[in-house]
């Protein structure tokens, strides 16, 4: 995991709820180690998912391959004419970590919003420690 990559895990999609919105589904998943759980709102028109799919999720502070900060550039300017972390993934969002909650024992809960599409992670404190209230990139690909 590079310095810009704050969290990286493979998840198996365990449920999918597409009842509320036309192009958005809420997926739930469990990590391969069964320690971390996720609930994610995802645009299924851009990135279709099904129960049983395995997805690789990365949360990163920047899209630069060398880990340098974006330096005020908008996310649309990142990667123009140069290779970026986004080139290796199928679905990329920019959002903000906005809340943490304590869970049972050594578990914590992390809440992230990507323009209204929400990500909820629950896992061991040690695994989610690099996350802070800040802007992050969500990168997904099927594995």
């Amino acid at each position: 995991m590079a310095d810009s990559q704050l969290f990286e895990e493979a998840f198996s999609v365990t449920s999918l709820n597409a009842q509320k919105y036309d192009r958005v589904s809420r997926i739930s998943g469990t990590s391969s180690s069964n320690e971390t759980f996720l609930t994610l709102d995802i645009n299924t028109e851009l990135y279709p998912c099904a129960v049983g799919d395995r997805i690789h999720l990365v949360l990163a502070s920047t899209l630069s391959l060398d880990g340098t900060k974006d330096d005020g550039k908008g996310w649309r300017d990142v990667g123009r004419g140069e290779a970026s972390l986004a080139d290796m993934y199928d679905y990329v969002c920019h959002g903000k970590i906005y809340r943490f909650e304590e869970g049972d024992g050594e578990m914590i809960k992390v809440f992230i919003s990507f323009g209204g599409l929400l990500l909820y992670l629950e896992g061991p404190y040690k695994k989610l420690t690099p996350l802070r209230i800040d802007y992050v990139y969500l990168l997904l690909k099927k594995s």
Side-chain angles (χ1 to χ4, degrees), residues 9 11 30-37 107 122-124 127-128:
E9 188 70 67
F11 289 90
T30 306
S31 68
S32 51
S33 64
N34 287 326
E35 290 183 331
T36 310
F37 306 96
M107 303 289 272
E122 183 175 0
K127 190 153 189 80
L128 299 173

Side-chain angles (χ1 to χ4, degrees), residues 10-21:
F11 289 90
S12 182
V13 177
T14 56
S15 71
L16 186 129
N17 182 347
Q19 295 175 346
K20 193 158 185 147
Y21 301 105

Side-chain angles (χ1 to χ4, degrees), residues 28-125:
S28 297
T30 306
S31 68
S32 51
S33 64
N34 287 326
E35 290 183 331
T36 310
F37 306 96
L38 118 122
T39 301
L40 173 65
D41 296 339
I42 192 163
N43 184 330
T44 50
E45 190 174 73
L46 297 175
Y47 192 75
C49 285
V51 172
D53 283 354
R54 295 197 38 81
I55 56 173
H56 184 81
L57 179 141
V58 171
L59 295 174
S61 59
T62 180
L63 293 177
S64 299
L65 292 174
D66 61 2
T68 57
K69 287 285 185 188
D70 297 340
D71 293 329
K73 292 190 286 186
W75 62 268
R76 291 181 179 152
D77 297 329
V78 175
R80 281 221 173 130
E82 60 189 58
S84 77
L85 197 56
D87 297 335
M88 296 181 259
Y89 292 86
D90 302 320
Y91 186 81
V92 181
C93 294
H94 185 253
K96 184 168 186 169
I97 300 173
Y98 67 92
R99 188 169 86 198
F100 291 91
E101 288 182 3
E102 289 186 25
D104 300 331
E106 294 290 314
M107 303 289 272
I108 62 169
K109 301 171 184 177
V110 181
F111 299 85
I112 309 171
S113 177
F114 301 96
L117 298 178
L118 303 177
L119 168 61
Y120 162 78
L121 282 171
E122 183 175 0
Y125 174 78

Side-chain angles (χ1 to χ4, degrees), residues 1-9 58-59 127 130:
M1 201 162 51
D3 292 338
S4 65
Q5 295 181 12
L6 307 171
F7 176 80
E8 183 173 17
E9 188 70 67
V58 171
L59 295 174
K127 190 153 189 80

